[in-house]
Each structure stands twice: as C-alpha cells, then as structure tokens.
Amino acid sequence: MLLLNIFILSAFVGYFSISNITQTLHSPLMSLTNAISGIIIIGGLNLLNPPLPLIYQILLYLAIFFASINIFGGFYITYKMLHLFKPKDKKND
Amino acid sequence: MTDIILITIYSALIISIHYLSNPKIAYKGNIIAFFSVSLALIYNLIYLSATKLLISVFIISLGALIGIILTNKTQTKSLPQNVALLNGLGGLSSTLISITELYLNNFSSPFILSIIYLGSITFTGSLASIIRLNNTPLLISSQKLKYLSLLLLLLTIANLIIIPHSSLIRLFTFIALSSLTGFIFVLSIGKADMPIIISLLNSLSGFITSFIGINTNSILLLITGTLIGASGAILTIIMTKSMNRSLFSVLFHHQTYSISSNSTAQNINKASPKDVAFLLENANKVIIVPGYGMAVSNAEDELKTLSDILTTKYNTDTKFAIHPIAGRMPGHLNVLLAKADIPLSQIYELKDINQEFKTADVAFIIGANDIINPRAQTDSTSPIYQMPILNAKDAKKIIFAKRSLSPGYSGIDNPLFYQENTLFLLGDAKEMTKKVIKELE
C-alpha cells in the first residue's frame, strides 16, 4: 500500500527532525507543531465542494473557524516565543 | 493538488522544523512553516465556488483575529494553557470534519468513527488539562475518576453495539460519551504530569490529521499529520524519560502520597534580604535554580538584574540551572529567562550543571521545590520517586526564595527546608529578589 509507505517514511522524518532540538526550544517546538496541525483546515475546505445538506455545511464552517484559530493563534504564539531567542541586534525594542 | 505545490509545502514544513535546532535562526523556521500552511490554505480556497469562497475567507479571518487576540492576552506563565486550548480546538475541528465524512459514508465506517473518538477526546482532554494546569482543586479522587472513565469507555462501546447503525442517536451518544471519557480521564492524571499530556495530545492531533488524510486520500494531510504525530510522540517519550517514569505509569497509576507532617512544626532558618545579599556577595560561585513559582511571580527581570550585579560588581560566577520539567511545559522556563534577556550561555540543562553544584557556594532556589527534592532519590512512596533532580543539595549554602513552606506541585514535604545550611527568604519571589538587589547595590 502506497499510503502505508508514506506514513512510515513520514514518521521516520518526524523522528529525526526533532532529535537535534535542545530542551531550550521544546516549548516553541510544541506550539509550532500544534500550529501546523491546523492544516486540517484544508480537509474541511475540500469537503465544501460537493453539495451537502445545510447542517453539514454549518459543521464544516465551524470546523474551518476553529482550525483557523489553531493556525493563526499557534503561529503567533510561536513567533512571540522565538522572537525572544533572536540575536539581540536584530530585535526591535 | 498539483504535485509541485504539494512537494513545496511538505518540503518547506520539514525544513522549517529543522530550523528549530538553532535558537538564533529558529524564528525563520516559524515564518517558513507559516507560509507553507498559508500556501496550502490558499491553494484549497481557490477551488471553491464564489459564495463558499467568500464565506470561508470571512470565517478564516474571524478565526485568525480571535486566535491573535487570545494569544495577545496570554502571559508567558500561561503558555501551556494557550497551547492546550489551540490543540483542543484543532481536535474539535477534526471531529466536525469527520462527522461530515461519516455522513458521506452513510454512517457506516468504523475507521471514521475511530477518528471521531480520537478528535473528541483530544478536544475535551485539552480542556481538562487546562483545568488541571490552572490548579483548580478536584473534589473527587484520581482513582475514582479513572474508574469512571473506564466505565464511560465501556458505555461507549456498548452504545455502538446496541443501537442500530442508522440511528443518529447512536452518533450523538457516541460523541457525548467519548467526549466525557476524554475529559474525565485527563482530569484524573496528576498535575505534575500535565506537560506530558499536552505533548501527547499534540501528537494525537497530528495522527488524527494523517488518518483524515488517509480517509480522504489527501497526501498532504497524511504526510503533515504523521510528521507532527511522530515528532510529538518522540517529544513525549523524551519527557517521560526525563522524569524517569513510563508513559503507562503516567496515564494509569494513581498517586499514593505519603502524608507529610505539618511542616510548620519543624524549625527553619529564616533570613532577611540583607543576610541573603551578604551570602551572595561573598560567594565565588552561585547557581540560580528557578521554578514555576518564579514564573507565577514574574520575577524573571529581577533575576536578570541580580545575576548582572553579581557578575559585574562582585565577580561571581553566576549560572542558571533549568530542570527539564520545571514549569508547566518543556522549555517553559527557558522562554521566561530568554524574555528577560538572560544570555543562553548562562543557562544550563540538568546533565551539564549537576556536577557543578558541589563546587557552588550558594544554590539560590527561587519558586522551585520538587525539582531539587532529595526525596525523589530516597523515598519510594513519593510520587516523584526516581525523577532526576538538580543537585542543589550539594551546594555549600542553600537559599529558598518561596512564599511559604507549602509543598510543591506533587504535594510532598522537602527535607532540604530543614537543613542547617539552608536559609529561607520568605515572601513573594519578585519582591524579595528586588530587596536583595537593593542590598547588593
């Protein structure tokens, strides 16, 4: 199965990606991966295309709403954290 | 999705995570990941019909606004709650999407039902973790809650078997029961273990995304979801290892505390800011151990001033020691100290600093308790048994800056309080540190 192979490969990539990250950056890592998981929003967008009864359209719009909070809130809080670790001459006051 | 865009998105995401291995360029990783997700978002928006496109853009903008406002209001000490909430909303989103998927599959897909289950427990589990993080007292014992969640699990399965497929009641009850199970179960887990739960739920929401990808044949969701799920899983394992406990123990063993005697009965050495200042200025080597209490009191800027005065005026070798689970999220205190502009070169992890305590003149422990409690090594009945600790006990003099003698997160007494060479600077961490700084100036 192609999907299974992709799954396993992605799992390995995920494992090796974070093996070099020090404890200092574990918080931003968690908030970043959390923000990225908001990509589920495209699952909702794709389902909007075929015609659906109204109730399910509402559910999908709600899903898109919550996923959007996840994405934008998540990247923003990661930004706030990582901004603190920037080299000092690059930080604005 | 055309291949070139798909490849761009997942390649950029993998690269963005890699940027996080270096604090100086980590912020770039965030930007790359953001553009990557935005690209995926835009690419999927353009295929919608005009009205649906407008509604979606409006809703996404509304969500973005709320997300930004919520985050703006989050103080650094509440970071874990913010991450838990956002994660929970992601879980809720995936549940709603899966319900629609189930409808499209005539309500008869066990795979989609499992996704709905996982999504529900992620959402309510995250809410429960926020309650635990806010230190709200529970009125029911952890053990009873665990049995209750087991009962709910059985009811959930019974519901699936007994009620016929075609009934919508079956679905409603399923969602209600699974949500309740997740909520009660996370409520039953020890407060000190919340960082692990957050990481676990983070990983779970990643795998939920990949399962939805499998179901809808979306390669992007499959790759991205597995990436997040796997990295979250590894992070969870790293954290359980740093507490020297197994994940199984965190989830299923309930706490059995040995009852600590009333600590005010024993004598402690109380000190004034003047005494503390005297000790510090005469010390050659000081190691500062911050804990969650420091975060609550917002004393990070005062710590920076203290460290600067000691280093420049008194030529003291000043270092910060951060325990892997200090704070309520991995790396939580690192973020706080970075916010105060304390240079990374002064901040040390457990494995790098533990040998240095024996040559330290003073261990200045501010708002911390469990992470230096020797009972983790000696007392097999304590909930922190076998957790690695910072060796503050080896320092020549120990100073506790705490509000009171109250036990830490795990609720047990700390024998370091009563030692001959221990001094207590009682009071709010921020205020007390300010007073010590005044004496040093």
Side-chain angles (χ1 to χ4, degrees):
Chain A
M1 289 170 70
L2 175 66
L3 294 183
L4 182 63
N5 289 310
I6 297 178
F7 182 85
I8 294 176
L9 263 177
S10 309
F12 272 112
V13 175
Y15 171 71
F16 286 113
S17 291
I18 67 144
S19 46
N20 274 334
I21 302 190
T22 66
Q23 177 194 306
T24 317
L25 288 173
H26 277 165
S27 278
L29 173 67
M30 274 178 63
S31 64
L32 181 64
T33 52
N34 185 26
I36 295 174
S37 70
I39 203 166
I40 192 68
I41 200 172
I42 71 171
L45 289 173
N46 282 336
L47 285 182
L48 276 178
N49 266 326
L52 283 173
L54 180 64
I55 178 70
Y56 294 107
Q57 288 188 37
I58 294 178
L59 286 186
L60 286 178
Y61 285 126
L62 275 176
I64 292 172
F65 175 62
F66 291 126
S68 175
I69 300 180
N70 191 357
I71 293 177
F72 288 93
F75 280 114
Y76 184 44
I77 198 157
T78 311
Y79 162 74
K80 276 174 72 169
M81 277 194 254
L82 290 177
H83 187 64
L84 301 170
F85 293 103
K86 258 171 145 174
K88 291 199 177 68
D89 46 285
K90 282 198 181 175
K91 286 192 215 176
N92 306 322
D93 218 40
Chain B
M1 175 170 281
T2 61
D3 290 329
I4 189 85
I5 300 206
L6 172 64
I7 295 172
T8 311
I9 295 173
Y10 71 70
S11 308
L13 281 177
I14 294 172
I15 292 172
S16 74
I17 296 182
H18 181 72
Y19 270 82
L20 254 75
S21 46
N22 179 348
K24 297 208 180 99
I25 55 167
Y27 71 97
K28 293 186 190 172
N30 190 34
I31 297 175
I32 295 175
F34 178 65
F35 276 118
S36 186
V37 173
S38 304
L39 179 59
L41 187 56
I42 293 172
Y43 188 78
N44 281 280
L45 273 173
I46 58 183
Y47 286 101
L48 292 175
S49 66
T51 31
K52 289 178 185 166
L53 176 65
L54 276 173
I55 301 177
S56 302
V57 169
F58 172 68
I59 289 179
I60 292 174
S61 312
L62 194 60
L65 188 64
I66 296 193
I68 293 176
I69 292 177
L70 271 176
T71 302
N72 249 336
K73 287 172 55 178
T74 311
Q75 300 175 296
T76 325
K77 68 180 181 212
S78 303
L79 270 180
Q81 283 91 320
N82 178 301
V83 174
L85 177 64
L86 294 177
N87 190 33
L89 291 178
L92 178 59
S93 173
S94 50
T95 306
L96 295 173
I97 293 174
S98 302
I99 293 175
T100 312
E101 271 283 306
L102 191 63
Y103 160 77
L104 291 171
N105 274 276
N106 276 318
F107 294 102
S108 63
S109 164
F111 185 54
I112 300 182
L113 273 178
S114 327
I115 301 178
I116 293 180
Y117 186 80
L118 293 176
S120 308
I121 62 177
T122 303
F123 173 52
T124 52
S126 299
L127 294 180
S129 72
I130 295 176
I131 293 178
R132 293 301 269 145
L133 285 168
N134 286 337
N135 229 348
T136 326
L138 294 179
L139 301 170
I140 316 177
S141 77
S142 155
Q143 189 173 353
K144 290 205 188 98
L145 286 173
K146 285 205 209 289
Y147 286 139
L148 182 56
S149 53
L150 180 61
L151 175 65
L152 287 167
L153 175 62
L154 294 172
L155 282 176
T156 317
I157 299 175
N159 170 58
L160 284 180
I161 300 175
I162 296 174
I163 305 187
H165 275 237
S166 49
S167 165
L168 270 183
I169 305 260
R170 179 177 187 253
L171 182 61
F172 286 147
T173 324
F174 179 67
I175 296 175
L177 284 172
S178 45
S179 305
L180 208 51
T181 315
F183 186 73
I184 302 284
F185 185 64
V186 174
L187 271 190
S188 77
I189 297 178
K191 292 183 293 187
D193 295 329
M194 278 305 123
I196 294 180
I197 297 301
I198 297 179
S199 185
L200 190 64
L201 291 176
N202 204 8
S203 166
L204 192 56
S205 59
F207 283 122
I208 291 173
T209 307
S210 70
F211 292 157
I212 293 183
I214 291 176
N215 203 47
T216 55
N217 273 309
S218 164
I219 301 287
L220 178 62
L221 290 181
L222 173 59
I223 294 179
T224 310
T226 319
L227 214 59
I228 308 294
S231 59
I234 301 302
L235 191 56
T236 310
I237 293 178
I238 292 178
M239 287 166 63
T240 51
K241 278 217 184 115
S242 75
M243 292 175 80
N244 215 358
R245 296 171 64 197
S246 69
L247 187 57
F248 185 86
S249 158
V250 168
L251 292 176
F252 300 114
H253 287 162
H254 37 264
Q255 315 281 332
T256 44
Y257 299 132
S258 52
I259 316 244
S260 44
S261 54
N262 191 346
S263 30
T264 51
Q266 299 189 45
N267 283 329
I268 58 163
N269 299 324
K270 291 194 196 146
S272 69
K274 235 194 179 76
D275 300 328
V276 172
F278 179 74
L279 267 184
L280 287 175
E281 65 188 37
N282 286 315
N284 285 325
K285 182 162 152 180
V286 173
I287 301 182
I288 302 178
V289 181
Y292 185 61
M294 186 278 284
V296 169
S297 154
N298 281 320
E300 57 268 7
D301 294 312
E302 281 72 20
L303 276 186
K304 161 89 173 144
T305 318
L306 179 67
S307 151
D308 282 344
I309 292 186
L310 285 177
T311 322
T312 49
K313 191 168 171 195
Y314 299 99
N315 264 325
T316 321
D317 175 16
T318 316
K319 297 189 165 97
F320 288 85
I322 312 250
H323 189 277
I325 58 155
R328 295 290 173 265
M329 200 162 80
H332 191 189
L333 286 196
N334 298 73
V335 174
L336 279 162
L337 294 186
K339 180 160 90 72
D341 274 335
I342 296 173
L344 286 174
S345 51
Q346 259 187 303
I347 305 179
Y348 292 79
E349 296 177 25
L350 188 144
K351 58 175 165 37
D352 299 324
I353 193 118
N354 248 354
Q355 294 310 309
E356 299 213 28
F357 277 100
K358 44 182 179 294
T359 52
D361 296 297
V362 177
F364 186 71
I365 303 168
I366 175 165
N369 190 338
D370 293 333
I371 58 179
I372 34 95
N373 191 341
R375 280 177 70 168
Q377 294 173 335
T378 57
D379 184 354
S380 56
T381 64
S382 73
I384 56 171
Y385 182 55
Q386 290 190 324
M387 178 184 86
I389 54 165
L390 288 170
N391 292 335
K393 58 181 170 50
D394 294 337
K396 296 194 184 65
K397 288 263 183 213
I398 302 170
I399 303 176
F400 273 99
K402 270 169 114 302
R403 275 174 301 183
S404 69
L405 283 154
S406 63
Y409 214 31
S410 68
I412 60 170
D413 201 13
N414 189 337
L416 282 187
F417 291 173
Y418 314 109
Q419 284 182 181
E420 266 307 306
N421 59 338
T422 301
L423 289 179
F424 250 91
L425 187 62
L426 284 171
D428 172 68
K430 190 184 175 84
E431 289 310 310
M432 285 298 123
T433 312
K434 270 197 198 156
K435 291 190 178 159
V436 172
I437 291 172
K438 267 222 176 68
E439 298 292 335
L440 285 172
E441 273 168 355

